[in-house]
Amino acid sequence: MNRKIGVRLVKCLVAGAALAVLLPQAVEWGNDVYAASVKPAPSVSSQQLQNKLLQAMATRSETLTFTYQGRVNGLKQQLQTAIQQAMESDPYVNYTIKSYAFSYTGTTTSAQVTIRLSYRETKEQTAYVDSTVQAVLGDIITKGMTDHEKVKAIHDWIVVRLKYDEAQQKYTAYDGLKTGSTVCQGYSLLAYKMLERAGITNRIVEGRAGGQLHAWNLVLLDGRWYHMDTTWDDPTPDRANEVSTSYYLLTDSEMRRDHSWVKPYPQANTSYRETLSALIAAGGSKTAVYQKLYNNLEYPLQDGKGLVKSSADIKEQVHKMINKGGTSLTFGYQGTERSLKEDLQSLYQLGLKSISYQITDLGSTGNLRVTLKWT
């Protein structure tokens, strides 16, 4: 009998795979200013520039040409700033623009400007995303749902529906919906679109994880911000209908254990576990809803309830699962990985041929969440 335990330590479930973010590239070409007039075109002031850019980006226009009226000195910086502000005002557009470039020519008080834009997602593809999101939300969001339930339903749908593109060639929400796979940028874009359509304010966070570029979402619930990383909650390689919540609605300090960011984002300082505890304690018609969420997120394990503490406890639970025909078991474990490995040896007494396990931290409790699989 093979008594070797196959150890699979998957701290973050994606093992550093899902980490690809492509940001728009800026390309600049000839900027010439002459002391002469230019052929007139529809003029635009600096105040109108951002709106004009937003309209062009929304319709996926590739070329925008106009006459700028005003002092041309410093126009280069004004254009750069306007483009950046226009993109950042719409996170979905921001991460679907592949590159942009601009040029201008004219006099010292007027210039003809040309801005060229390229996109990772066409207007038709974005329309497909919009219609698909609308249809999906119609299925998974029901009347009377709280925002807490909506966020969980959206999170779980994305994790189950998508798988990570390990070739790192797909970067959009369209890619994810049409082909079933994308990288973290596509995950966060789809989450952004679905949450926004469901009436949930959220942001896309640009940072690093696993030593590489990464993207995820910040979600606003009842006036408090939380981090949500659907990519890192999706097991890699993909496992059908399996959803992790290790990166579901975390605080800044919880997220910084293996994620980092330098741009200013809203602070996430409230424990979601404590938020749900307060909602449950407050009572009301939705108490059962919040209690179900609390249990589904395995917060009772973080409270120390139902923790497995010995080899006998593990053996008993596995034996019960085998009798039910099961081949896997998830439980909270009080101890270290080393002690867990020792405790698992007793399982071979049940006639198992091979055992593998995955572990993640149970919050900041020092305990482990363990998923066992056996044959």
Side-chain angles (χ1 to χ4, degrees), residues 279-323:
L279 289 170
I280 294 168
S285 61
K286 294 295 183 178
T287 301
V289 168
Y290 298 129
Q291 185 65 62
K292 183 179 179 180
L293 274 173
Y294 195 90
N295 295 338
N296 286 345
L297 293 170
E298 299 179 335
Y299 288 150
L301 294 178
Q302 295 187 34
D303 297 334
K305 298 177 181 178
L307 287 175
V308 169
K309 303 177 182 179
S310 67
S311 60
D313 290 341
I314 298 175
K315 188 176 178 181
E316 180 182 358
Q317 291 202 23
V318 171
H319 182 65
K320 290 179 179 178
M321 185 59 67
I322 291 174
N323 288 339

Side-chain angles (χ1 to χ4, degrees), residues 43 58 95 143 185 202 251 258 281 289 325 361:
S43 63
Y95 289 95
K143 186 177 180 180
Q185 187 163 306
N202 74 104
T251 64
D258 43 35
V289 168
D361 294 328

